[in-house]
């Protein structure tokens, strides 16, 4: 299944389609919600447990009538002005994924090229905001014991002190103090 995310206009939308960010406890567990609130909108995708409110398009598997059980979903609140303008006029999130050439591991930046390649495959429309800079978001998995970076963004989306990578053993032990 191809990784997919939803673009949300607000933290309220994120809470509708996911179980939300951990609020922390009085026993020293980090308040991730407060930390995330400071960096969104921004260049981060957070993987969170999905709720039943997640639109069916997000769980449909291929072109069959079967539905896969997607238990997590990536959520973004982009700081891009074009995305923000579109989201403010919708009542639901937009489904999105990274756009790469089908046979290569290279980003497609030109909207005309995206349309030429993906329209025959079912692309409904494209918003032509001109050629874009390929700066993928930093992807943080929030479904485990610690907020873990799955993919580091190129320029934006810095690793914050309450996030860990797979090699951050020391950071995991101090995690509970960082986000509060």
């Amino acid at each position: 299944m191809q990784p997919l995310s939803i673009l949300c206009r607000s933290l309220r939308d994120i809470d509708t389609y996911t179980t939300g960010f951990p609020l922390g406890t009085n026993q020293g567990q980090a308040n991730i919600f407060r930390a995330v609130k400071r960096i969104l909108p921004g260049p981060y995708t957070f993987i969170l447990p999905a709720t039943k409110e997640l639109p069916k398009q997000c769980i449909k598997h291929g072109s069959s009538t079967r539905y896969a059980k997607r238990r997590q979903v990536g959520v973004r609140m982009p700081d891009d002005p074009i995305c923000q303008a579109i989201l403010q006029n919708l009542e639901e999130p937009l489904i999105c994924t990274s756009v790469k050439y089908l046979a290569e591991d290279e980003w497609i930046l030109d909207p005309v090229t995206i349309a030429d390649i993906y329209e025959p495959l079912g692309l409904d429309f494209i918003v032509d905001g001109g050629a874009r800079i390929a700066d993928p978001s930093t992807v943080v998995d929030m479904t485990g014991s610690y907020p873990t970076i799955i993919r580091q963004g190129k320029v934006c989306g810095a690793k914050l002190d309450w996030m860990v990578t797979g090699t951050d053993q020391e950071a995991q032990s101090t995690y509970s103090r960082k986000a509060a």
Side-chain angles (χ1 to χ4, degrees):
M1 213 179 316
Q2 180 161 350
L4 90 111
S5 298
I6 57 174
L7 300 179
C8 297
R9 60 187 165 176
S10 67
L11 290 167
R12 184 173 304 207
D13 286 351
I14 292 173
D15 283 344
T16 298
Y17 301 108
T18 72
T19 58
F21 295 98
L23 295 176
T25 66
N26 291 335
Q27 287 82 25
Q29 185 181 11
N31 186 333
I32 299 300
F33 175 77
R34 187 180 308 152
V36 166
K37 200 169 146 180
R38 287 184 228 141
I39 61 171
L40 291 180
Y44 295 93
T45 299
F46 293 100
I47 301 170
L48 292 164
T51 65
K52 292 181 181 185
E53 297 298 317
L54 190 65
K56 285 185 181 178
Q57 294 88 341
C58 292
I59 58 173
K60 187 173 180 184
H61 180 70
S63 59
S64 71
T65 56
R66 293 181 323 153
Y67 286 92
K69 293 192 182 218
R70 186 179 297 272
R71 300 194 192 292
Q72 298 111 10
V73 64
V75 293
R76 289 199 59 208
M77 278 180 54
D79 54 358
D80 180 82
I82 295 172
C83 287
Q84 285 183 341
I86 293 169
L87 290 169
Q88 291 308 316
N89 289 296
L90 298 176
E91 293 181 14
E92 294 181 336
L94 279 176
I95 299 170
C96 69
T97 189
S98 298
V99 181
K100 293 185 178 185
Y101 284 100
L102 297 174
E104 302 172 31
D105 193 26
E106 186 177 317
W107 300 103
I108 304 174
L109 305 177
D110 179 34
V112 174
T113 304
I114 294 169
D116 289 346
I117 293 172
Y118 287 97
E119 276 181 351
L121 300 174
L123 177 69
D124 292 325
F125 71 93
I126 189 165
V127 176
D128 186 348
R132 310 296 288 192
I133 296 172
D135 271 338
S137 63
T138 293
V139 179
V140 182
D141 186 348
M142 304 294 288
T143 61
S145 300
Y146 308 100
T148 304
I149 295 176
I150 303 298
R151 177 183 74 197
Q152 178 70 52
K154 287 186 178 178
V155 177
C156 302
K159 177 185 178 282
L160 302 174
D161 60 358
W162 52 271
M163 297 175 183
V164 299
T165 63
T167 59
D168 284 347
Q169 298 300 324
E170 184 180 315
Q172 291 177 3
S173 65
T174 59
Y175 157 75
S176 63
R177 298 187 307 259
K178 297 279 184 172

